[in-house]
Amino acid sequence: MRRPLVAGNWKMHGTRASVTELIEGLSQQVLPADIDVAVFPSSLHIAQAVQGLSGKAVKVGAQDCAAQVEQGALTGELATSQLVDVGCEFVLVGHSERRLILGESDEAVVRKFAAVQAAGLIPVLCLGETREQREANTTLDVVGGQLAAVIDALGVESLSGAVVAYEPVWAIGTGLTATPEQAQEVHAAIRAQAAHFDAGVAAGLRILYGGSVKAASAAELFGMQDIDGGLVGGASLNADEFGAICRAAGN
Ligand code: PGA
């Protein structure tokens, strides 16, 4: 029913040469036919990835976008219409590095989410708690609040066709992965929150897990009932490792 998605977030990594190499490696991977695969290069390398992966079963997304759809006087930003033009299909919205290091508010995240959908792109809405918040037992409140910001402003229908990624901040880039049970608990809560408004939207919503996903941990995570794939950072920079993670998501 829900088609798994494995997404590779390349973050602020890469040169033209290393991206060429990574694309080449990805092109050689045997990918399952029953999942979607996407990579999110730096903005500088989006066009290169779109071109290099054309004809392959790997889609391309952007890591961020402007909150306004229209192009205009906004130095340094990228309009979602420009991302469409260059060949993107997805956009990450509200990654914790943007929320916590760059100060992106729930309000900005909501505006970006809307701008992505207005351009006909698929938002991947990132949610997650910090270590302090988990230790204070506020994980479900924090994640629920981040999701509520979008549902309250844009309606639960906005989640139809969108993707959510649960990424505990303490697991990102740390080598610490949430246990499958820890992740499943939050994924189930996210789905229940959407189901409170619309059971159909909730049942179709793809919820990815992110945070130190590796080939060795992927199958167990993806085997959980409400985990529909992964958002992979570090391991997505290695084509063989990423390919193995994709294969773990297939049937
Ligand atoms: P990681 O990053 O896999 O390197 O932990 C995940 C992410 O931030 O999307």
Side-chain angles (χ1 to χ4, degrees):
M1 43 164 226
R2 289 186 297 271
R3 189 176 163 84
L5 167 65
V6 178
N9 176 8
W10 295 356
K11 305 192 179 184
M12 197 172 67
H13 293 288
T15 59
R16 284 181 297 168
S18 73
V19 167
T20 298
E21 216 174 291
L22 188 47
I23 289 171
E24 212 127 279
L26 280 176
S27 305
Q28 284 160 16
Q29 297 300 312
V30 178
L31 299 173
D34 57 351
I35 72 164
D36 290 330
V37 178
V39 293
F40 295 73
S42 87
S43 302
L44 285 175
H45 302 110
I46 288 174
Q48 189 185 345
V50 168
Q51 194 178 17
L53 293 166
S54 88
K56 305 278 187 269
V58 182
K59 296 166 177 166
V60 178
Q63 297 173 15
D64 184 38
C65 66
Q68 73 178 50
V69 186
E70 307 78 28
Q71 296 176 26
L74 205 50
T75 303
E77 289 290 271
L78 295 169
T80 47
S81 61
Q82 292 176 303
L83 297 175
V84 171
D85 180 56
V86 81
C88 283
E89 296 182 53
F90 296 85
V91 184
L92 299 184
V93 179
H95 190 280
S96 63
E97 286 151 13
R98 300 203 59 84
R99 290 181 189 262
L100 298 172
I101 303 172
L102 298 165
E104 205 164 282
S105 65
D106 271 338
E107 192 208 348
V109 171
V110 166
R111 290 185 62 214
K112 289 182 178 189
F113 186 100
V116 170
Q117 288 193 320
L121 297 165
I122 298 173
V124 179
L125 173 68
C126 303
L127 316 172
E129 84 287 3
T130 62
R131 186 170 53 83
E132 292 74 21
Q133 290 165 332
R134 175 159 283 268
E135 285 169 357
N137 277 322
T138 55
T139 296
L140 297 184
D141 294 335
V142 170
V143 172
Q146 291 167 340
L147 182 62
V150 171
I151 294 178
D152 291 350
L154 306 174
V156 75
E157 322 78 66
S158 67
L159 294 179
S160 161
V163 177
V164 168
Y166 168 57
E167 298 202 301
V169 177
W170 49 272
I172 295 179
T174 57
L176 293 172
T177 314
T179 65
E181 293 73 23
Q182 280 176 322
Q184 167 61 26
E185 182 194 14
V186 181
H187 283 233
I190 290 169
R191 199 177 307 287
Q193 187 174 348
H196 175 73
F197 299 97
D198 189 317
V201 168
L205 180 63
R206 291 192 285 188
I207 309 174
L208 315 183
Y209 169 78
S212 297
V213 175
K214 303 274 184 294
S217 57
E220 230 193 320
L221 286 161
F222 299 164
M224 302 308 281
Q225 192 181 347
D226 289 294
I227 301 184
D228 308 308
L231 179 52
V232 185
S236 71
L237 296 170
N238 178 311
D240 291 333
E241 179 84 8
F242 186 66
I245 293 170
C246 292
R247 288 189 287 279
N251 244 329

